[in-house]
């Protein structure tokens, strides 16, 4: 979703803003812009539809301007087409206020009508433009920018992170957030703001996340929080421990490739964490678990659900967060709700979490981004510590979340009864990082297996038991970055309709990692081969595959843990296919890394 950057200090603002926008590009966008306040207090801007290169080209070929304070934005269109006049920054008609926004102003229609009646002329179709005109109107009533902001915020419903330049305050950037992510960072003689940590890493790791509706003024000499009665206590900065190069490609062709190669290290770190994932008193009294999440985060719950039920004897439900928030799934006070989210900012998951809490549930969040909204609002949080994940397609965070859920079930089993099976899985988990490393050594083979896919229009995935959720995740990865239509089915389900789509040359990828179910899935493979499908089987190295079937043996792990290995194999298949099709796997079209709108 939209990315925001801001700077004030002694240096030229524009290059810093453009570099920051490039670091936020992974969030997904379709137009971009910057505004700078110059020495004379004039607000100057440059905007362009399309990729950042267009903005940079436009800026360098004529629009270049100078000034040491500014704001920038990458826009992921929600209201109005992705064109230049809808790109941010937006301006008041007299050019005295400039603003960038991430989020959605839900009452924008009503405000637009009101402002139009007052004579304001709109130059875009965005929901954002109402905010800049409201600010302008309030400026006529109050001379204090803080007061103007407070008056404006009272009129807004929805979500926002706003960065604002006032011509009356040269050298300053103002900011405020509600529901949408925004952090401010302190440097030496300069201050920054951004939607996300990677944009700030080259400049500072001392950051502060403003509370909802807290008004923040950035100046070269520091960050000031403005309360109702003037300056409040200085913000307490948090140190971000990430390496500056954690958000660089470090020689890999893409962030996705780099992040897949980080999986063994991420898993080792996660398995070494000794703190309890859930307070034992909660674990002891549970009557069931409900997982909520979106996209891959939903698949995390599915991947571990049947394992968790077997291990703990508790019923496990997995619900898509965007459905949970409106569908009153029965919840009892002793059921644990687990909110899974890499970004910790997914609007639907956050809303579902709030709904669960409203109904009295205890919510555990399994999150990557430290201090994110879901992490803060949950009753307890387990950080997977996967480091920044830049590629839109989640890979290392997905695997870390699945591993974290295994650990959660092991902890629940330990607090309740303990079991031999739990001890067996606990020991087996330690071998997974090495198995992933072995798999990563097979890149060339996997690339050759992906080669035939690059020309295809449809790919089907089939699997049974724990292999089915892994298929769902593999098919999501493939369609997300290669734009090939892909669907996943329980292997026994194809013949209830979908097999009519199988014809000569259609690829069917089968996962066969569960020994008791292997024969059954392989029958499904024979059924599709009999109809001309090009079957490719990923199987546990210890499960025999009949001759004549194209097959790739995965490194052996305990069958209950196989979803962790097959996930990586299918991530590699998706990556190779996208690359073979000449696509950028990091920034798939229409998608955003962090989906902060409903
Ligand atoms: O940040 P979250 O984990 O809450 O994101 C949820 C989904 O948007 C995300 O997993 C999405 O499906 C991925 N891009 C898939 O690779």
């Amino acid at each position: 979703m939209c990315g925001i950057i801001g700077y004030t200090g002694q240096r030229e603002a524009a290059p810093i803003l453009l570099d920051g926008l490039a670091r936020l590009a992974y969030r997904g966008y379709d137009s971009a812009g910057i505004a700078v306040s110059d020495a004379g207090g004039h607000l100057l801007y440059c905007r362009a539809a399309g990729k950042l290169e267009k903005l940079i080209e436009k800026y360098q070929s004529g629009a270049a301007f100078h000034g040491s304070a500014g704001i920038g934005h990458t826009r992921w269109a929600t209201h109005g087409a992705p064109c230049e006049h809808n790109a941010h920054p937006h301006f008041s008609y007299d050019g005295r206020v400039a603003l960038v926004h991430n989020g959605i102003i839900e009452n924008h229609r009503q405000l637009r009508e009101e402002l139009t009646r007052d004579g304001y002329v709109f130059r875009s179709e965005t929901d954002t433009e109402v905010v800049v005109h409201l600010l302008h109107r309030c400026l006529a009533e109050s001379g204090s920018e803080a007061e103007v902001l407070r008056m404006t915020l009272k009129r807004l419903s929805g979500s926002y992170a706003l960065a604002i330049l006032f011509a009356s305050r040269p050298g300053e950037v103002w900011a405020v957030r509600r529901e949408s992510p925004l952090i401010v960072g302190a440097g030496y003689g300069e201050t920054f703001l951004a939607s996300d940590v990677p944009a700030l890493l080259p400049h500072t790791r001392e950051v502060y996340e403003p509370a909802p509706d807290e008004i923040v003024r950035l100046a070269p000499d520091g960050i000031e929080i403005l309360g109702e009665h003037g300056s409040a206590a200085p913000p307490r900065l948090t140190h971000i421990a990430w390496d500056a190069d954690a958000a660089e490609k470090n020689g890999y062709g893409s962030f996705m490739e780099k992040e897949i190669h980080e999986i063994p290290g991420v898993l080792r770190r996660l398995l070494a964490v000794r703190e309890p994932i859930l307070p034992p008193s909660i674990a002891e009294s549970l009557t069931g678990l409900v997982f909520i999440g979106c996209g891959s985060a939903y698949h995390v719950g599915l991947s571990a659900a049947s394992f968790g039920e077997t291990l703990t004897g508790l019923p496990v439900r997995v619900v898509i967060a965007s459905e949970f928030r409106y569908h009153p799934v029965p919840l009892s006070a002793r059921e644990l709700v687990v909110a899974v989210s890499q970004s910790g900012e997914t609007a639907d998951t956050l809303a579902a979490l709030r709904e669960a809490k409203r109904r009295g549930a205890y919510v555990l969040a399994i999150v990557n981004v430290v201090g994110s909204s879901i992490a803060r609002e949950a009753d307890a949080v387990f950080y997977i510590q996967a480091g920044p994940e830049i590629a839109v397609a989640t890979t290392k965070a997905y695997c870390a979340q699945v591993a974290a859920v295994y650990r959660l079930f092991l902890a629940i089993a330990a607090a309740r009864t303990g079991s031999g099976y739990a001890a067996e899985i606990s020991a087996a988990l330690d071998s997974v990082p090495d198995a992933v490393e072995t798999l990563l050594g097979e890149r060339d083979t996997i690339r050759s297996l992906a080669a035939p896919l690059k020309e295809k229009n449809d790919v089907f995935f089939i699997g049974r038991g724990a292999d089915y959720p892994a298929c769902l995740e593999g098919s999501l990865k493939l369609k997300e970055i290669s734009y090939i239509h892909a669907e996943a089915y329980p292997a026994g389900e194809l013949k209830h309709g979908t097999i009519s789509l199988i014809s000569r040359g259609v690829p069917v990828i089968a996962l066969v990692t569960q020994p008791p179910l292997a024969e059954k899935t392989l029958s499904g493979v024979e059924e599709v081969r009999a109809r001309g499908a090009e079957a490719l089987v990923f199987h546990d190295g210890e499960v025999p595959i009949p001759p004549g079937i194209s097959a790739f043996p995965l490194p052996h792990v305990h069958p209950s843990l196989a979803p962790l290995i097959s996930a990586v194999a299918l991530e590699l298949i998706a990556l190779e296919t996208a690359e073979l099709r000449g696509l950028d796997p990091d920034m798939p079209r229409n998608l955003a890394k962090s989906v902060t709108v409903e």
Side-chain angles (χ1 to χ4, degrees), residues 13-267:
I16 294 171
L17 299 173
L18 292 170
D19 175 72
L21 291 183
R23 290 170 196 278
L24 292 171
Y26 74 94
R27 295 170 64 86
Y29 72 101
D30 35 44
S31 61
I34 56 171
V36 160
S37 80
D38 74 4
H42 305 104
L43 305 185
L44 308 162
Y45 73 97
C46 181
R47 302 184 298 204
K51 289 292 163 202
L52 257 177
E53 291 71 40
K54 293 259 172 58
L55 177 69
I56 295 170
E57 201 181 292
K58 195 166 168 192
Y59 172 75
Q60 286 171 345
S61 63
F65 33 71
H66 302 282
S68 57
I71 53 180
H73 189 264
T74 46
R75 174 174 185 254
W76 188 85
T78 57
H79 297 66
C83 54
E84 190 182 325
H85 71 264
N86 286 331
H88 300 208
H90 290 286
F91 281 79
S92 58
Y93 73 85
D94 58 1
R96 306 283 297 162
V97 188
L99 140 165
V100 292
H101 166 224
N102 174 19
I104 289 186
I105 306 301
E106 285 170 0
N107 57 340
H108 71 100
R109 275 195 199 86
Q110 170 203 332
L111 291 170
R112 184 179 272 253
E113 278 169 24
E114 176 188 317
L115 287 157
T116 305
R117 278 197 302 276
D118 279 3
Y120 283 91
V121 175
F122 281 77
R123 288 170 290 196
S124 77
E125 290 86 53
T126 63
D127 54 324
T128 301
E129 197 182 341
V130 297
V131 187
V132 79
H133 297 318
L134 275 177
L135 285 167
H136 179 269
R137 195 173 67 177
C138 293
L139 268 173
E141 293 170 36
S142 167
S144 143
E145 284 76 8
E147 186 51 27
V148 161
L149 260 164
R150 261 191 288 277
M151 287 160 72
T152 301
L153 299 184
K154 282 197 187 120
R155 300 298 318 281
L156 304 179
S157 52
S159 57
Y160 45 77
L162 298 166
I164 304 156
L165 296 176
F166 291 106
S168 51
R169 308 293 292 242
E172 294 178 6
V173 179
W174 292 65
V176 66
R177 66 171 283 272
R178 187 201 291 168
E179 308 266 315
S180 295
L182 187 77
I183 49 169
V184 295
Y188 294 102
E190 52 190 6
T191 52
F192 305 82
L193 62 81
S195 301
D196 211 345
V197 173
L200 297 190
L201 285 179
H203 308 291
T204 179
R205 295 205 222 141
E206 309 308 317
V207 305
Y208 171 73
E209 185 183 36
D213 283 349
E214 196 167 62
I215 292 169
V216 183
R217 185 183 73 90
L218 302 184
D221 60 355
I223 300 163
E224 188 185 20
I225 308 297
L226 290 147
E228 294 271 345
H229 308 291
S231 191
R236 188 177 291 173
L237 300 174
T238 307
H239 179 76
I240 300 287
W242 292 351
D243 276 352
D245 68 356
E248 305 288 344
K249 286 188 197 156
N250 290 341
Y252 286 97
S254 63
F255 280 109
M256 185 174 174
E257 183 187 4
K258 176 189 173 222
E259 287 157 9
I260 292 174
H261 281 80
E262 287 172 347
I263 292 171
V266 166
L267 290 179

Side-chain angles (χ1 to χ4, degrees), residues 200-478:
L200 297 190
L201 285 179
H203 308 291
T204 179
R205 295 205 222 141
E206 309 308 317
V207 305
Y208 171 73
E209 185 183 36
D213 283 349
E214 196 167 62
I215 292 169
V216 183
R217 185 183 73 90
L218 302 184
D221 60 355
I223 300 163
E224 188 185 20
I225 308 297
L226 290 147
E228 294 271 345
H229 308 291
S231 191
R236 188 177 291 173
L237 300 174
T238 307
H239 179 76
I240 300 287
W242 292 351
D243 276 352
D245 68 356
E248 305 288 344
K249 286 188 197 156
N250 290 341
Y252 286 97
S254 63
F255 280 109
M256 185 174 174
E257 183 187 4
K258 176 189 173 222
E259 287 157 9
I260 292 174
H261 281 80
E262 287 172 347
I263 292 171
V266 166
L267 290 179
R268 283 191 190 104
R269 207 160 48 234
L270 186 135
L271 296 175
V273 172
R274 286 292 154 237
E275 295 99 67
I277 194 161
L278 185 70
S281 56
I282 302 282
E284 279 158 22
S285 59
L286 288 181
T287 56
L289 293 92
V290 181
F291 284 81
I292 50 176
C294 300
S296 295
Y298 166 66
H299 298 158
V300 169
L302 290 179
S303 279
S306 63
F307 161 75
E309 286 186 332
T310 312
L311 185 68
T312 63
L314 295 171
V316 178
R317 289 180 289 163
V318 187
V319 188
I320 291 179
S322 56
E323 293 294 314
F324 182 97
R325 65 186 293 190
Y326 297 117
H327 177 69
V329 180
L331 262 190
S332 85
R334 282 163 57 209
E335 272 184 302
L336 174 69
V337 172
V338 185
V340 181
S341 176
Q342 186 285 132
S343 62
E345 298 294 348
T346 299
D348 284 319
T349 311
L350 183 59
L353 174 155
R354 287 178 180 155
E355 175 60 17
K357 285 190 74 173
R358 195 187 63 76
R359 288 162 58 193
Y362 184 93
V363 181
L364 167 71
I366 296 186
V367 167
N368 191 29
V369 178
V370 176
S372 53
S373 304
I374 290 173
R376 280 185 286 112
E377 294 197 23
D379 296 295
V381 56
F382 180 79
Y383 286 117
I384 56 170
Q385 299 183 40
E389 191 177 66
I390 306 290
V392 165
T394 178
T395 54
K396 62 175 178 174
Y398 176 80
C399 291
Q401 284 168 327
V402 172
V405 175
Y406 280 114
R407 286 208 41 198
L408 169 66
F409 283 124
L410 289 167
I412 295 172
R416 294 169 68 84
T417 50
S419 82
Y421 180 42
E424 183 187 326
I425 300 295
S426 211
L429 260 175
D430 290 335
S431 69
V432 172
D434 288 353
V436 174
E437 220 146 55
T438 307
L439 177 62
L440 294 176
E442 303 273 356
R443 280 292 298 282
D444 291 346
T445 315
I446 293 185
R447 175 166 276 249
S448 67
L449 295 173
L453 301 182
K454 78 170 204 284
E455 309 294 350
K456 304 291 183 183
N457 296 321
D458 309 283
V459 176
F460 292 88
F461 291 77
I462 57 171
R464 282 175 186 255
D467 286 334
Y468 169 56
C471 285
L472 284 171
E473 177 58 10
S475 87
L476 176 61
K477 285 283 101 85
L478 186 69

Side-chain angles (χ1 to χ4, degrees), residues 459-532:
V459 176
F460 292 88
F461 291 77
I462 57 171
R464 282 175 186 255
D467 286 334
Y468 169 56
C471 285
L472 284 171
E473 177 58 10
S475 87
L476 176 61
K477 285 283 101 85
L478 186 69
K479 61 191 144 201
E480 183 175 21
I481 61 167
S482 77
Y483 313 153
I484 295 174
H485 166 243
E487 286 186 46
Y489 285 90
E493 186 64 14
L494 271 192
K495 54 187 168 297
H496 296 289
T498 310
I499 201 159
S500 66
L501 296 174
I502 304 295
S503 58
R504 183 149 306 282
V506 171
V508 176
I509 297 179
L511 288 184
V512 186
T513 68
Q514 306 296 305
L517 300 171
E519 279 305 325
K520 304 269 177 211
T521 306
L522 289 169
S523 302
V525 170
E526 293 300 0
E527 285 162 14
V528 295
R529 287 181 80 220
R531 285 153 182 88

